[in-house]
């Protein structure tokens, strides 16, 4: 090596030291001989922010002859591993995977409204409602007002026992940090709020059971007889309000006894279902386990109940099916950072509560979870394990078995489309032997930067394709 070469190498090393760790790592990856293949693997995950790393092999053999049709081994891949999507639904954790999850949710909910995905299209003519059930009040809070109306404009309201005013003359906007916060944190019933969240699943179960009971009473049938003629199908999503209390949006549909392939009897109308939803929700009353520290709490749904019909085929009144499916799909991707409600990760120690970027109200709810979780009588509720979700233990979206398709079926359908099926007719009797093991997750700093760029490019491509599709539809009159 000549002196000029040495000086060039030293200059290059000096310039590299001035770069950030992320930039140096990106350069290292780009100089790897297998960079092109690594780029293909990352692109196949859609630029997933936290991919799962797997090592292993797959062998596909002809079931009759034993001939090896396909063989794949990760030993020839960069780092001897295969990258697969993390499938996290939260946009704050992984935007590419959350976008895919939102698409699956849209099709899952929409199939139960208009058919498709093995659901008959005549479900559009069934009695269907979009119902919102809310939590009760645990204490007065500042709320967002419209048209300049004041929050709590009560004259001579006085002050609470803690010396705080019981009125608020301010008109809060959506960006006001006071919106959703208690007028008096000391008066607010934090234990009741947390315990209501912990029992939200039981409250929903009691509500759906009541639907059958109240339908039977309203139509003069026995409960057993009614269940032989009617099936209630639903899909529901949980949403946190500004006051950090969960409310439930649900699509409820009446089917015949065997499900979506069976129409309900003529007397089962949307009007009958709407009336029964109101009485069934109002009749739900549960009680918590008795605690020497807290006593016993009665649990019920809130007084705010919204029941709206869904638009049947060829009609103009009611909510549009696609709008409801899109709303549900959009909400399931929201993380704690989006809503400022709770955390995206479990709380493992009280210090996590103190250091989290939380409002005083949410911090108090998480502390209540941690405190009540230490009581023996509430141990089955696992409040400390679910403190980051304020005690709510349910999935964001759940559905009844007969409502529509499943996430598993949708993902399998997508995988079949993406897989090369040119020789599928020759492999009907194929046998696959797979051996995989987990070897890690996520990206290095430079890899994360490149993956984010891939995800952004794919998102822009989808936007352009969507715009072009809409433009061509308007041109030929189909939009």
């Amino acid at each position: 090596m000549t002196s000029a070469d040495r000086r060039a190498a030293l200059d290059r090393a000096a310039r590299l030291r001035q770069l950030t760790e992320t930039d140096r790592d990106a350069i290292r990856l780009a100089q790897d001989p297998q960079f092109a293949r690594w780029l293909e693997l990352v692109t196949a995950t859609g630029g997933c922010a936290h991919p799962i790393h797997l090592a292993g092999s797959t062998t596909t053999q002809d079931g009759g002859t034993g001939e090896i049709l396909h063989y794949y081994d990760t030993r020839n891949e960069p780092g001897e591993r295969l990258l697969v999507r993390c499938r996290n639904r939260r946009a704050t954790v992984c935007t590419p995977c959350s976008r895919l999850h939102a698409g699956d949710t849209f099709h899952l909910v929409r199939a139960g409204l208009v058919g498709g995905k093995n659901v008959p299209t005549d479900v559009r003519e069934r009695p269907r409602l979009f119902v919102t059930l809310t939590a009760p009040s645990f204490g007065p809070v500042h709320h967002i007002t419209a048209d300049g109306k004041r929050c709590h404009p009560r004259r001579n309201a006085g002050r609470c026992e803690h010396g705080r005013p019981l009125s608020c003359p301010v008109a809060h906007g959506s960006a006001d940090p006071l919106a959703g916060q208690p007028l008096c944190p000391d008066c607010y019933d934090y234990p009741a709020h947390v315990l209501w969240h912990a029992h939200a699943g039981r409250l929903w179960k009691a509500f759906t059971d009541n639907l059958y009971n109240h339908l039977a009473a309203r139509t003069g049938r026995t409960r057993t007889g009614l269940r032989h003629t009617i099936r209630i199908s639903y899909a529901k999503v949980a949403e946190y309000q500004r006051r950090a209390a969960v409310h439930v949006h649900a699509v409820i549909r009446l089917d015949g006894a065997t499900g979506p392939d069976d129409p309900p009897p003529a007397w089962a109308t949307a009007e009958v279902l709407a009336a029964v939803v109101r009485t069934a929700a109002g009749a739900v009353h549960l009680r918590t386990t008795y605690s020497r520290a807290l006593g016993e709490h009665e649990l019920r749904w809130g007084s705010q109940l919204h029941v709206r019909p869904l638009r049947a085929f060829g009609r103009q009144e009611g909510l549009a099916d696609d709008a409801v499916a899109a709303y549900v799909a959009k909400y399931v991707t929201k993380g704690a950072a989006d809503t400022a409600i709770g955390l995206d990760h479990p709380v493992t120690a009280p210090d996590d509560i103190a250091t989290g970027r939380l409002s005083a109200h949410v911090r108090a709810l998480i502390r209540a979870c941690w405190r009540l979780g230490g009581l023996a009588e509430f141990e089955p509720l696992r409040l400390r394990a679910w403190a980051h979700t304020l005690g709510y233990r349910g999935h964001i979206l759940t559905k009844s078995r007969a409502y529509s398709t499943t996430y598993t079926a949708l993902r399998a359908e997508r995988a079949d489309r993406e897989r090369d099926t040119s020789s599928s007719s020759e492999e009907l009797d194929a046998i696959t032997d797979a051996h995989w093991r987990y070897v890690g997750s996520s990206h290095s700093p430079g890899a994360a930067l490149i993956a984010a760029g891939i995800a952004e490019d794919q998102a822009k491509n989808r936007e352009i394709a969507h715009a072009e599709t809409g433009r061509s539809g308007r041109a030929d009159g189909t939009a």
Side-chain angles (χ1 to χ4, degrees):
M1 179 183 292
T2 65
S3 58
D5 292 335
R6 284 195 294 272
R7 284 195 300 271
L10 290 173
D11 290 343
R12 180 175 178 275
R15 287 194 300 271
L16 285 174
R17 283 194 296 271
Q18 294 174 356
L19 298 176
T20 64
E21 179 187 357
T22 300
D23 290 337
R24 291 197 300 271
D25 188 47
I27 292 172
R28 176 189 63 80
L29 286 168
Q31 293 177 334
D32 191 287
Q34 289 187 297
F35 176 69
R37 175 56 183 163
W38 177 86
L39 210 57
E40 289 179 2
L41 294 176
V42 176
T43 302
T45 69
C48 174
H50 303 282
I52 307 301
H53 301 188
L54 301 177
S57 63
T58 299
T59 305
T60 303
Q61 294 178 303
D62 187 295
T65 65
E67 177 188 359
I68 295 179
L69 303 175
H70 298 291
Y71 178 74
Y72 173 80
D73 197 311
T74 58
R75 285 180 294 183
N76 299 320
E77 299 288 13
E80 297 187 359
R81 57 191 61 193
L82 176 68
L83 306 183
V84 298
R85 288 178 178 271
C86 69
R87 292 184 178 178
N88 197 294
R89 69 168 181 83
R90 295 177 176 87
T92 51
V93 177
C94 181
T95 301
C97 287
S98 72
R99 188 180 293 113
L100 200 64
H101 189 83
D104 288 343
T105 301
F106 174 82
H107 288 292
L108 184 149
V109 176
R110 187 178 186 274
L113 294 172
V114 302
K117 312 296 182 184
N118 296 323
V119 179
T121 57
D122 61 359
V123 294
R124 296 188 69 169
E125 302 296 339
R126 306 282 171 80
R128 303 167 308 151
L129 301 175
F130 188 56
V131 176
T132 300
L133 297 165
T134 62
S137 173
F138 305 107
V141 299
H142 297 278
H143 57 266
I144 298 172
T145 55
D147 302 326
K149 294 181 180 179
R150 292 178 292 174
C151 177
H152 289 278
R154 291 180 291 177
R155 294 182 179 180
N156 305 318
R159 294 178 177 271
C160 70
E161 60 181 292
H162 305 101
R164 295 185 177 91
L166 295 174
S167 62
C168 176
V170 178
H172 301 292
S174 59
D176 193 332
L178 269 180
Q181 305 296 301
L183 269 65
C184 176
D186 294 317
C187 291
Y188 195 86
D189 196 345
Y190 284 101
H193 188 145
V194 165
L195 291 173
W196 192 93
H197 274 179
H199 291 83
R202 285 184 56 199
L203 286 163
W204 176 259
K205 176 67 166 56
F207 167 68
T208 54
D209 287 344
N210 279 354
L211 283 178
Y212 283 106
N213 298 338
H214 286 226
L215 265 176
R218 184 180 180 87
T219 58
R221 291 166 173 78
T222 64
R223 299 176 187 178
T224 302
L226 182 81
R227 285 181 178 266
H228 286 309
T229 58
I230 283 288
R231 174 173 242 172
I232 298 171
S233 299
Y234 67 84
K236 68 178 179 70
V237 62
E239 179 180 4
Y240 286 88
Q241 297 171 295
R242 278 297 185 104
R243 61 188 174 120
V246 164
H247 62 180
V248 174
H249 300 294
V251 175
I252 301 178
R253 187 186 73 220
L254 284 183
D255 295 323
T258 60
D261 293 314
D262 184 15
W267 58 261
T269 64
E271 291 74 21
V272 169
L273 179 59
V276 169
V277 162
R278 292 185 175 91
T279 59
V284 173
H285 292 281
L286 303 178
R287 292 189 176 276
T288 64
T289 302
Y290 175 78
S291 168
R292 293 181 61 183
L294 300 175
E296 188 179 54
H297 283 76
E298 184 181 82
L299 306 175
R300 56 183 177 81
W301 292 105
S303 58
Q304 293 185 353
L305 172 65
H306 303 287
V307 181
R308 288 162 285 186
L310 292 171
R311 188 182 302 168
F313 183 73
R315 300 178 185 175
Q316 297 301 316
E317 69 276 6
L319 297 174
D321 298 318
D322 283 3
V324 171
Y327 173 81
V328 173
K330 180 180 179 180
Y331 189 78
V332 297
T333 65
K334 291 185 177 181
D338 291 320
T339 59
I341 305 298
L343 298 168
D344 280 332
H345 54 83
V347 175
T348 57
D351 288 345
D352 294 344
I353 307 172
T355 57
R357 298 181 62 181
L358 305 165
S359 68
H361 179 50
V362 172
R363 199 183 307 278
L365 284 167
I366 296 179
R367 285 195 175 117
C369 284
W370 194 265
R371 185 174 65 256
L372 297 183
L375 300 178
E377 56 269 30
F378 296 132
E379 185 177 350
L381 301 180
R382 302 182 65 233
L383 289 172
R384 288 188 173 180
W386 294 100
H388 62 298
T389 57
L390 315 185
Y392 179 71
R393 299 183 294 161
H395 293 288
I396 289 297
L397 184 134
T398 55
K399 70 175 190 67
S400 60
R401 183 183 300 274
Y403 174 78
S404 69
T405 185
T406 64
Y407 281 123
T408 300
L410 289 170
R411 289 164 182 162
E413 181 183 349
R414 183 171 58 251
D416 288 341
R417 288 199 307 269
E418 295 173 350
R419 189 182 299 119
D420 181 10
T421 58
S422 59
S423 59
S424 59
S425 61
E426 303 173 3
E427 300 176 11
L428 295 177
D429 297 326
I431 300 173
T432 300
D433 184 27
H435 300 278
W436 297 98
R437 70 181 188 280
Y438 170 82
V439 293
S441 63
S442 293
H443 286 300
S444 64
L449 180 65
I450 297 172
I454 291 172
E456 184 178 352
D457 288 343
Q458 292 192 359
K460 288 181 178 178
N461 290 340
R462 276 189 294 270
E463 291 175 4
I464 294 171
H466 181 73
E468 290 296 328
T469 302
R471 189 176 297 112
S472 63
R474 289 190 296 272
D476 61 19
T478 59

